[in-house]
Amino acid sequence: MLERNKFFSSIFGLKGSQKGSFSDYDLNSALDELNSLVGLTNVKDLIKQLEAYICLEGMRKEKGLKYEPLTLHMIFKGNPGTGKTTVARLLGKIFKGIGILSKGHVVEVERADLVGEYIGHTAQKTRDVVKKSIGGIMFIDEAYSLARGGEKDFGKEAIDTLVKAMEDHKNEFILILAGYRDEMEYFLNTNPGLKSRFAFQFDFSDYTIDELMLISDKMTSDRDYKLTFKAKRKIYRLLIRCLNDNKLKEGNARLVRNIIEKSIMNQAVRIYKKSSIEKSDLIFIEDVDIPDNIFY
């Protein structure tokens, strides 16, 4: 697994200026970050498969056998806060590291970045974004919004331009479309040539309560904080209440982040009033610091 970047780049014949400064350390760091995420087993499995595939393709090339680069356009389906944007950013780094992408940057766009105000404006705006995405990933969140306006809406022109770009710039960039599960299914059926161009479709499931608790532990430890047992119990009860109110799917990991950030603010207010502040005061988040309610 050593010298990953050099080996994989040699397979794809990337030239000096394309390789950039991405190192083996950067790739391993990105892989470690991906593997540290809670859940997302299907995405992690894909990366393992790609490493194995590319390694064997390199061997085939060295032995004079035919090899074919993969087309890796993807669909991410799931509720907010399930890790879609986070994974897209990490994939840019990882695909750069293993030689699939020459730059690995991620261009995050929404409907307003692609759809213009008059005839012909949309196609040019969309082509401009594609141009910026060459060598990296174009990530369109709430992609289904491009199809909401019906046949006469300029969003359809953006879709048609994207479909053409996927063919014209085959293997030069990766397009990731993301959004709610049902809306994305409808969106993919709006253009006959769209669905067949996405070989990889991933469902980002809502996190379970136990997974959200693991996320809360990670969020606090990453900031050098610790939750007391009573604080954890209060967060657990708060999440159960959100689940029962059918509000959990509206936030997922974002909901946990809001809880932790609000708790840190409450802790600051609490200990700021103390005449003497110890190191442990700065670290531990108590149950009194956990908010009673989360507003969306």
Side-chain angles (χ1 to χ4, degrees):
M1 302 301 286
L2 297 175
E3 300 288 328
R4 273 192 180 110
N5 181 248
K6 293 179 181 178
F7 175 67
F8 290 132
S9 294
S10 68
I11 293 172
F12 284 83
L14 299 179
K15 297 180 180 179
S17 61
Q18 292 178 303
K19 290 180 183 179
S21 59
F22 203 93
S23 67
D24 241 22
Y25 171 79
D26 295 323
L27 174 58
N28 290 328
S29 177
L31 288 169
D32 287 344
E33 187 174 349
L34 175 66
N35 289 326
S36 72
L37 297 177
V38 175
L40 305 175
T41 303
N42 51 355
V43 179
K44 296 172 185 177
D45 287 344
L46 168 66
I47 301 303
K48 293 176 183 176
Q49 293 167 8
L50 284 174
E51 283 204 72
Y53 173 83
I54 295 170
C55 182
L56 291 179
E57 286 297 281
M59 294 178 184
R60 289 176 61 85
K61 180 181 178 182
E62 291 173 353
K63 296 183 183 299
L65 298 172
K66 292 182 180 179
Y67 71 100
E68 184 69 26
L70 287 174
T71 299
L72 292 172
H73 303 303
M74 302 178 183
I75 300 293
F76 287 1
K77 295 180 285 187
N79 289 322
T82 49
K84 299 186 295 296
T85 304
T86 299
V87 168
R89 292 169 182 168
L90 286 174
L91 288 182
K93 297 177 183 178
I94 292 168
F95 288 164
K96 159 66 177 175
I98 62 179
I100 292 175
L101 295 172
S102 59
K103 297 179 181 177
H105 63 299
V106 179
V107 180
E108 299 177 31
V109 296
E110 54 188 21
R111 177 186 165 93
D113 299 305
L114 301 172
V115 178
E117 300 175 356
Y118 50 85
I119 296 175
H121 188 206
T122 294
Q124 187 57 52
K125 286 187 73 173
T126 303
R127 284 193 292 267
D128 288 343
V129 177
V130 170
K131 185 177 180 180
K132 293 178 184 177
S133 305
I134 296 298
I137 291 174
M138 183 196 297
F139 179 78
I140 307 178
D141 199 10
E142 297 185 357
Y144 49 81
S145 64
L146 294 173
R148 277 182 173 170
E151 286 294 317
K152 296 183 179 180
D153 183 71
F154 291 139
K156 183 178 182 298
E157 185 178 0
I159 297 171
D160 293 340
T161 305
L162 286 171
V163 170
K164 186 175 187 301
M166 292 167 73
E167 187 62 36
D168 292 347
H169 300 282
K170 188 177 180 180
N171 301 318
E172 293 182 49
F173 80 107
I174 293 173
L175 177 62
I176 299 179
L177 305 180
Y180 290 102
R181 188 172 292 105
D182 292 343
E183 283 85 345
M184 289 304 297
E185 285 295 331
Y186 167 78
F187 170 69
L188 290 173
N189 291 322
T190 60
N191 185 295
L194 195 59
K195 195 168 189 176
S196 62
R197 284 175 164 79
F198 294 90
F200 298 93
Q201 297 192 30
F202 296 102
D203 282 320
F204 284 68
S205 301
D206 291 337
Y207 289 109
T208 66
I209 298 295
D210 288 341
E211 287 175 332
L212 290 174
M213 291 304 299
L214 289 174
I215 290 171
S216 70
D217 280 337
K218 186 176 186 303
M219 285 182 176
T220 50
S221 64
D222 285 348
R223 303 184 188 196
D224 280 339
Y225 287 95
K226 290 183 180 179
L227 295 164
T228 64
F229 174 78
K230 289 183 177 180
K232 290 182 180 182
R233 187 169 60 184
K234 188 171 180 180
I235 291 175
Y236 187 88
R237 290 173 175 171
L238 181 56
L239 292 174
I240 289 293
R241 192 160 71 246
C242 290
L243 177 64
N244 292 336
D245 292 341
N246 202 32
K247 291 184 176 180
L248 200 58
K249 64 181 181 180
E250 299 174 17
N252 281 285
R254 294 180 192 173
L255 171 62
V256 174
R257 184 178 65 222
N258 290 340
I259 293 173
I260 297 302
E261 290 180 347
K262 180 63 176 175
S263 300
I264 290 173
M265 292 293 292
N266 290 342
Q267 183 229 40
V269 172
R270 175 175 59 81
I271 67 174
Y272 183 72
K273 300 174 183 177
K274 298 182 67 172
S275 58
S276 177
I277 300 176
E278 304 294 333
K279 182 178 180 179
S280 60
D281 294 322
L282 299 170
I283 294 175
F284 285 100
I285 296 176
E286 306 283 351
D287 58 324
V288 294
D289 302 320
I290 308 301
D292 295 321
N293 294 289
I294 294 295
F295 300 95
Y296 296 88

